[in-house]
Amino acid sequence: MPQIIASSFLLTGSLDETVKLWKSDELDLDRTNTGHCLGVVSVVARPSGYVAASASLDSFVRVFEVGSNSTIATLEAPPSEVWQMRFNPEQ
């Protein structure tokens, strides 16, 4: 079962290779997720808040559970090709 996270949060990607989860009501850092080898240039979360994806300069898109940082899938993309992402809101 996925770990429950804050109902409202902000995800940010960073050149330090991490994705940070912030509690949006106070903008307090809740956790830092790792998994890339170069800077993260894009992050997106599904509307449920349990699953997110991050794209990095390391040429990988990583799909992961937000609460546990468990990788669900890793997709390889050409270098510097993925700068924006979004989940289909109907799925």
Side-chain angles (χ1 to χ4, degrees), residues 29-62:
L29 181 61
D30 186 65
R31 72 187 63 203
T32 301
N33 289 351
T34 59
H36 286 288
C37 298
L38 290 173
V40 176
V41 295
S42 183
V43 293
V44 63
R46 286 198 56 152
S48 69
Y50 292 109
V51 175
S54 55
S56 169
L57 295 172
D58 64 7
S59 302
F60 288 95
V61 174
R62 182 173 171 264

Side-chain angles (χ1 to χ4, degrees), residues 7-84:
S7 61
S8 181
F9 62 91
L10 172 70
L11 285 175
T12 60
S14 176
L15 292 178
D16 71 359
E17 305 165 8
T18 64
V19 174
K20 295 186 186 217
L21 173 71
W22 305 83
K23 295 177 186 174
S24 66
D25 47 349
E26 300 107 19
L27 288 180
D28 291 329
L29 181 61
D30 186 65
R31 72 187 63 203
T32 301
N33 289 351
T34 59
H36 286 288
C37 298
L38 290 173
V40 176
V41 295
S42 183
V43 293
V44 63
R46 286 198 56 152
S48 69
Y50 292 109
V51 175
S54 55
S56 169
L57 295 172
D58 64 7
S59 302
F60 288 95
V61 174
R62 182 173 171 264
V63 181
F64 60 96
E65 289 183 2
V66 174
S68 68
N69 195 36
S70 298
T71 299
I72 297 169
T74 305
L75 311 165
E76 190 167 4
S80 302
E81 289 286 321
V82 180
W83 291 94
Q84 294 182 11

